[in-house]
Amino acid sequence: MGGKKDTASDFRLIAATNRNIDGMVKDGTFREDVLFRLQTLAIQVPALRDRSGDIRDIASFYLARLSGKYGPGQKGYSPEFLEAITQYRWPGNVRELIHAIESALSSSYDDPTLFPIHLPTYIRSRLARASVGGDRRTSHEHDKDGATGGPLPQLKAFIESAEKDYFERLIAITGGDIQEICRISGITRSNVYARFKKYNLSKTPS
């Protein structure tokens, strides 16, 4: 632009964004002429959370690519690891998934298999909270079940059943890491072990 001679060029420009460019043009925060130059072929890519079927392939690709960088040879992942990364919502999309795999490889050291315990702490915490709260239903739904599905259990039995389920899920999400279980549940190590003994639970995920 502004030159006196035509200069030939042969290149392909690929641009990506998570912003609403059309809206930014209307707001005057993005130049319309630049958009016209970029908009020869536009591809709308859904968020990773809306195409969870791709997570396994993406994770396998980057795990193979990064294994040599962070560990001695190719590593694999457990079914629990795949379940964890499939259930997570990935607000940071593919970039966040790649960083999570890098972090898992780095923290797994010589372990040839990745487990949920190797994922970043913030991901495991969110999965634990979502898992514990995932089965909560409205009071209307509970009332309906009580009316049509038989008598409700005694409160003590209900609380104990829910508490056992809570700790089973914590063990699965954290891989049995006691320190992480204490942090997420908010109770002391001695109280955690007391629950394990009460409900005959093991630190090893089943």
Side-chain angles (χ1 to χ4, degrees):
M1 293 179 66
K4 296 181 179 180
K5 294 181 180 180
D6 291 336
T7 302
S9 60
D10 184 9
F11 68 95
R12 177 176 297 170
L13 175 64
I14 301 175
T17 182
N18 60 357
R19 301 288 189 89
N20 182 352
I21 298 298
D22 291 326
M24 293 177 67
V25 169
K26 291 179 180 178
D27 295 339
T29 55
F30 194 89
R31 286 176 48 176
E32 188 174 28
D33 61 318
V34 175
L35 176 61
F36 290 153
R37 286 174 168 81
L38 293 174
Q39 216 171 21
T40 303
L41 175 63
I43 301 175
Q44 299 292 333
V45 181
L48 187 57
R49 62 179 173 272
D50 296 327
R51 48 190 176 99
S52 58
D54 293 342
I55 291 177
R56 179 172 188 165
D57 291 338
I58 295 172
S60 297
F61 174 81
Y62 280 100
L63 181 59
R65 185 174 180 178
L66 297 169
S67 285
K69 181 178 180 181
Y70 290 104
Q74 179 64 41
K75 293 194 177 190
Y77 51 76
S78 66
E80 294 80 10
F81 183 87
L82 177 60
E83 182 181 1
I85 63 175
T86 302
Q87 290 180 350
Y88 185 64
R89 296 288 291 169
W90 300 113
N93 288 307
V94 176
R95 186 180 293 107
E96 184 184 13
L97 174 58
I98 296 171
H99 289 169
I101 293 173
E102 285 188 287
S103 176
L105 284 169
S106 180
S107 64
S108 63
Y109 300 105
D110 294 331
D111 195 328
T113 305
L114 299 184
F115 293 93
I117 188 63
H118 297 136
L119 287 168
T121 301
Y122 79 93
I123 290 180
R124 289 184 280 123
S125 297
R126 291 181 185 178
L127 285 171
R129 288 195 295 268
S131 177
V132 170
D135 288 338
R136 292 177 181 171
R137 294 171 292 175
T138 65
S139 58
H140 171 74
E141 288 173 316
H142 282 298
D143 290 343
K144 184 177 180 181
D145 287 346
T148 59
L152 290 171
Q154 289 186 351
L155 179 60
K156 181 179 179 181
F158 177 81
I159 292 174
E160 289 181 347
S161 176
E163 188 175 60
K164 181 181 179 181
D165 180 64
Y166 175 88
F167 281 96
E168 286 176 342
R169 294 187 182 195
L170 273 181
I171 293 169
I173 291 296
T174 63
D177 185 331
I178 296 298
Q179 183 175 351
E180 186 67 8
I181 290 174
C182 292
R183 191 189 67 78
I184 295 174
S185 65
I187 63 176
T188 63
R189 183 182 292 263
S190 60
N191 280 327
V192 168
Y193 280 116
R195 262 67 168 196
F196 282 13
K197 182 177 180 180
K198 179 179 180 180
Y199 301 119
N200 193 29
L201 299 175
S202 170
K203 290 192 296 181
T204 304
S206 58

